[in-house]
Amino acid sequence: VTSRENNKTAAVRLLGRRRVLRAASALGAGAIIGAPAFAQGSKKFSGVTLNVSAFSAPYQKLIKDWLPEFEAESGAKVNFDTPGFPVYNQRADLELSTKGSGFDVVNVTFIYSSRWINSGWLTPLDQFVQDKSQTPADFDLNDFLPGARAPETGRDGKLYGIPWTAEAMISAASRFDLVKNAGLPYPDTTDDLVNVLKAVHRKERVSGFITDNHYGWTFPPYLHAFGGDVFRKAPDDLYPTLDTPEAIAAADYFARLLREFGPDGAVSYPSDQAVQSLKAGRSNFSSLGQIHLAQLADPASSKVLQTAAWGQVPKGPAGRFPGTAVHGYGIPAGSRKKEAAWHFIAWATSKQTMRRAVAAGYGSPSRRSDIDADIFRKRQTVNGYDLARLAADAIDLSGKQGYMKYRTVSVYPQVDQQLNKAIELIVSGQQTAANAMKQAQAATVAELKRAGVAL
Amino acid sequence: MAGATISAAAGWEAQRRRAFLFGLSPALLVLAAITLLPALALGVASLTPLSLLDPVATFHFRDPLGNYRALLQDPRFTGSVWVQLRLSATSVTLQLATGLGIALLLNAPSRMLSAVRSAFLIPMVLPPIVVALIWKILYTPDVSPVHAALEAWGWPLRSLIANPDTALWAITIAETWQWFPFTMLMVLAALHMIPDEPIEAARLDGANSWQLFRHILLPYIKPVLVVCGLFRLIDSFKAFPLIYVLTNGGPGSVTEVTNFYGFIQAFNFSYWGYASAIAVLMLAGVFLLSWLIGRLNGSETSEHH
């Protein structure tokens, strides 16, 4: 023992305290990462080449960095392709529709999930999850948020994707100090929000409200809050309901936020521009995905770190309905290397990999254990606001209430376009809310009929 | 004897033609493969209701003209054609006018003017997406130096790209900025080719600058202007990056040109058959315009002769 201790002391002297600490922390991480199933170096899939494709995102970047470890353990070689979001979706949509074998693992994109799953283009994963020889015992499917698993589940009740991200829409105020100075609290309801905006708009040259001009994504939480919906009852009854009094009231309200309280040219702001405007303190309030709004807390790029505040999206007369988006890894039906593909998915979404990602700064994990983890909580708590809790609550809410089903129906891209146009028409003063929504309704009905949807 | 000589010469000509054709055939095959085949595929797809949602069931020719009939009744398509025509007409006219004007101003032997000529070429060689980003900054009141300067001088200007009355003009200005150097370059080249004698003679006869331009310079550079107009007109139908980045076709549909609408049909809605029909109609339209302008130019040239 003494000799061993002496050696240790000598080693410490030799390496220096910091290097030893680094090595020790790496070993600790290795112990976490080194789950039995993934650390044995079994090389079970030697000679197999996996073609993985997913859109470019922070999680993909981390996975790419760690691929050599997976390849060393499994023996498989991985070609990981990560194009931009629209390019990825077009490519995957085409490949999956032909049931080709070009990809072995794909990202199950939220807005395409119903189309891809219910068209039989993906492989059910339940058999792999249940097979103990293929899935580590600690994989724990139930650890993934129920609201994140729901969009990955088909009408047949089978699971077709393992979520790697669960993003929720929250709200934020970049200059909450202006609100406090006006003697007002953080707005909880749609009425509160308008009152707050009236009080702070243009104060210190800061616009009151901005959001992403992808209104097919940013408007529905308000549509739901006013008691409206996109369809009568998605996914079973897809008759559009865009011209109901509730939908018209919601559109009028939402357009007013942008028209009266937005920066000049608000309808031309995509998400990146909206976030920049918030981070620079040129716009105050917004409702966007937490990945975007968490950037207000980035000390390197945000000018509003000290004054920012966060909350849930406002509650309307019908309640609170934050939007959520979930993406997962799935296996195309045409893949010829499904076992190896599952091995990759199980590794990429394992507790160890996801925790490692969280430790590296990943901001939207899909596992409850990560959301509850101290390391995540500490990072996600800014100015006393627990962003992780806000996001998790939003995801739970959408899972329980099921109001996000509208977004996963195969014809939603057509409706999405109509909503974009309707809100633009109202904000730019080309049409009243009633006319714009009636026009959107008529155009949507025509588009759905054209797509063969029975109305 | 003479007949035999003629027939031998004709045979030699035919052999020569065959040899040329044989030599050219690899290049022609490659050209056909990379240009005609995709166009053919486009034409074939346009005769089907092909949708990526169900490609197997929708790739059929039961109603080959169905897409074309539907297009005629699609107000969004006809609206997009109208937007396209307005954008093309205004931007090409402005490009020709600006390019011609600046070329006339810069048409003098001077080192400084030569440097200015080179500087004016910059917009044309920039990647279209960079041009779009430059104009996105210029058109965003929050960050635009132009908006800031105007506001400082007491002339605040509302966002041009978010206003339905000015959005198309905003695209036109950006498009003109990017492409007027093309006309400028071509006109400058044509101006350099004009002999000095007629200009000197006209000056001696007391012609003023306008008369010199109208009666001496313009007839010389007119064919070049027509070619520039044709090139730019054809290219204007491809306007995409500016619209995608600046307005995304909006607000509403005021800047939704035909190829942008085709893009939405193909890549947002997965209607490849319908989008192909849009592309085929655009192709036909461009061919027709080229032919009309060619005829117009041809008849004017023959009148001169």
Side-chain angles (χ1 to χ4, degrees), chain B residues 88 91-93 95-96 124 175-176 178-183 225-239:
Chain B
S88 294
S91 72
V92 173
T93 306
Q95 284 167 42
L96 291 180
M124 195 174 76
E175 177 95 352
T176 302
Q178 187 182 9
W179 287 113
F180 83 83
F182 177 76
T183 303
L225 280 176
V226 172
V227 170
C228 284
L230 184 60
F231 266 74
R232 291 309 315 140
L233 192 65
I234 292 170
D235 215 41
S236 72
F237 280 80
K238 295 189 282 184

Side-chain angles (χ1 to χ4, degrees), chain A residues 36-380:
Chain A
F38 298 114
Q40 290 163 355
S42 60
K43 295 197 183 290
K44 191 178 165 188
F45 297 102
S46 285
V48 173
T49 299
L50 282 173
N51 293 316
V52 180
S53 191
F55 63 84
S56 178
Y59 198 67
Q60 262 62 270
K61 283 180 191 143
L62 293 169
I63 292 291
K64 261 188 176 177
D65 287 347
W66 302 331
L67 270 182
E69 294 167 25
F70 172 76
E71 289 178 329
E73 176 273 318
S74 66
K77 185 184 175 307
V78 179
N79 296 325
F80 201 167
D81 181 34
T82 54
F85 188 71
V87 175
Y88 166 75
N89 289 328
Q90 286 152 22
R91 208 179 280 172
D93 204 42
L94 184 61
E95 178 65 18
L96 289 170
S97 67
T98 58
K99 297 203 175 170
S101 58
F103 296 137
D104 300 299
V105 176
V106 289
N107 175 71
V108 185
T109 304
F110 188 54
I111 53 171
Y112 290 91
S113 56
S114 176
R115 176 192 302 195
W116 293 356
I117 290 170
N118 295 317
S119 301
W121 298 349
L122 294 168
T123 306
L125 301 178
D126 308 68
Q127 55 189 2
F128 295 110
V129 176
Q130 285 150 18
D131 186 344
K132 285 182 181 152
S133 69
Q134 299 199 55
T135 306
D138 65 348
F139 185 74
D140 190 8
L141 186 66
N142 292 325
D143 188 32
F144 292 96
L145 298 171
R149 275 180 285 144
E152 307 290 332
T153 306
R155 285 180 188 212
D156 55 7
K158 291 178 181 167
L159 187 71
Y160 289 85
I162 304 294
W164 55 266
T165 183
E167 192 192 355
M169 193 180 283
I170 58 173
S171 71
S174 67
R175 291 292 309 274
F176 189 57
D177 55 321
L178 297 177
V179 182
K180 282 199 278 194
N181 291 345
L184 294 166
Y186 195 92
D188 185 51
T189 68
T190 47
D191 287 342
D192 292 346
L193 180 58
V194 167
N195 289 335
V196 165
L197 293 178
K198 276 181 187 165
V200 300
H201 180 54
R202 294 278 173 221
K203 285 270 167 67
E204 298 186 18
R205 295 176 65 86
V206 181
S207 299
F209 184 86
I210 189 61
T211 190
D212 181 1
N213 65 356
H214 179 191
Y215 303 123
W217 163 239
T218 49
F219 168 59
Y222 295 87
L223 174 64
H224 288 131
F226 276 77
D229 207 338
V230 178
F231 302 108
R232 231 181 241 156
K233 192 166 176 55
D236 303 314
D237 183 351
L238 294 184
Y239 194 85
T241 50
L242 304 179
D243 61 349
T244 60
E246 294 83 4
I248 292 168
D252 196 33
Y253 172 87
F254 184 72
R256 185 183 170 203
L257 295 183
L258 292 161
R259 194 178 54 238
E260 284 185 25
F261 308 115
D264 188 15
V267 286
S268 66
Y269 278 56
S271 59
D272 289 352
Q273 202 179 340
V275 172
Q276 284 307 321
S277 182
L278 293 162
K279 282 161 77 174
R282 293 192 300 268
S283 295
N284 201 337
F285 273 88
S286 186
S287 49
L288 278 170
Q290 102 266 18
I291 282 190
H292 286 119
L293 292 182
Q295 291 179 38
L296 304 191
D298 177 15
S301 61
S302 174
K303 291 181 181 170
V304 295
L305 172 59
Q306 305 302 325
T307 57
W310 292 264
Q312 289 289 5
V313 295
K315 185 164 68 179
R320 198 189 312 276
F321 301 87
T324 55
V326 174
H327 300 283
Y329 294 124
I331 304 175
S335 167
R336 292 186 193 130
K337 303 155 197 163
K338 289 181 180 165
E339 280 195 19
W342 170 251
H343 194 68
F344 173 84
I345 293 174
W347 168 77
T349 59
S350 66
K351 272 188 179 170
Q352 296 76 28
T353 306
M354 205 164 272
R355 178 60 57 88
R356 190 181 181 188
V358 163
Y362 182 55
S364 62
S366 52
R367 284 182 175 273
R368 167 68 65 192
S369 55
D370 289 320
I371 290 167
D372 292 338
D374 281 346
I375 187 170
F376 186 64
R377 271 282 143 75
K378 274 180 194 158
R379 188 177 304 116
Q380 292 286 312

Side-chain angles (χ1 to χ4, degrees), chain A residues 86 90 93-94 97-98 112 115 119 121 202 205 207 213 259 263-270 273 277 282-283 410-411 413-415 417-418 420-421 424-425 428-430 447 450-452, chain B residues 52-56 74 76 136 139-143 147 151 157-159 161-164 244-254 256 261 263-265 267-272 274:
Chain A
Q90 286 152 22
D93 204 42
L94 184 61
S97 67
T98 58
Y112 290 91
R115 176 192 302 195
S119 301
W121 298 349
R202 294 278 173 221
R205 295 176 65 86
S207 299
N213 65 356
R259 194 178 54 238
D264 188 15
V267 286
S268 66
Y269 278 56
Q273 202 179 340
S277 182
R282 293 192 300 268
S283 295
S410 61
V411 287
Q414 281 92 314
V415 190
Q417 273 271 322
Q418 298 303 337
N420 285 345
K421 289 215 173 295
E424 280 184 12
L425 288 171
S428 61
Q430 294 179 74
E447 285 290 353
R450 181 180 169 207
Chain B
L52 279 192
L53 289 179
D54 194 353
V56 179
D74 180 351
R76 204 165 154 188
K136 178 85 179 178
Y139 282 148
T140 302
D142 259 7
V143 292
H147 282 268
E151 194 173 343
L157 179 67
R158 300 283 295 169
S159 168
I161 50 175
N163 181 341
Y244 188 73
V245 172
L246 292 179
T247 62
N248 203 27
S253 301
V254 294
E256 190 173 270
Y261 183 51
F263 165 81
I264 288 169
Q265 289 292 331
F267 295 104
N268 284 13
F269 301 168
S270 304
Y271 292 133
W272 281 36
Y274 199 69

Side-chain angles (χ1 to χ4, degrees), chain B residues 29-199:
Chain B
L29 279 174
V30 170
L31 197 66
I34 59 174
T35 58
L36 293 182
L37 278 182
L40 193 68
L42 186 79
V44 170
S46 78
L47 302 175
T48 73
L50 178 63
S51 162
L52 279 192
L53 289 179
D54 194 353
V56 179
T58 53
F59 190 73
H60 60 74
F61 299 91
R62 276 175 232 142
D63 183 10
L65 297 178
N67 286 328
Y68 294 96
R69 268 202 314 279
L71 275 173
L72 293 177
Q73 291 159 359
D74 180 351
R76 204 165 154 188
F77 170 71
T78 46
S80 78
V81 173
W82 176 233
V83 174
Q84 178 75 70
L85 291 175
R86 281 166 58 209
L87 178 66
S88 294
T90 51
S91 72
V92 173
T93 306
L94 279 176
Q95 284 167 42
L96 291 180
T98 315
L100 173 64
I102 292 179
L104 290 171
L105 287 173
L106 298 180
N107 182 35
S110 149
R111 276 192 178 178
M112 202 184 82
L113 288 183
S114 173
V116 173
R117 279 198 292 268
S118 303
F120 272 127
L121 292 180
I122 291 172
M124 195 174 76
V125 296
L126 287 176
I129 201 74
V130 174
V131 173
L133 289 173
I134 289 171
W135 283 93
K136 178 85 179 178
I137 292 168
L138 291 177
Y139 282 148
T140 302
D142 259 7
V143 292
S144 165
V146 176
H147 282 268
L150 287 172
E151 194 173 343
W153 294 334
W155 302 320
L157 179 67
R158 300 283 295 169
S159 168
L160 295 175
I161 50 175
N163 181 341
D165 298 326
T166 54
L168 195 63
W169 282 105
I171 303 277
T172 302
I173 291 167
E175 177 95 352
T176 302
W177 180 81
Q178 187 182 9
W179 287 113
F180 83 83
F182 177 76
T183 303
M184 181 195 83
L185 202 63
M186 298 281 280
V187 171
L188 273 172
L191 288 171
H192 286 166
M193 302 291 286
I194 299 175
D196 292 334
E197 292 81 5
I199 300 171

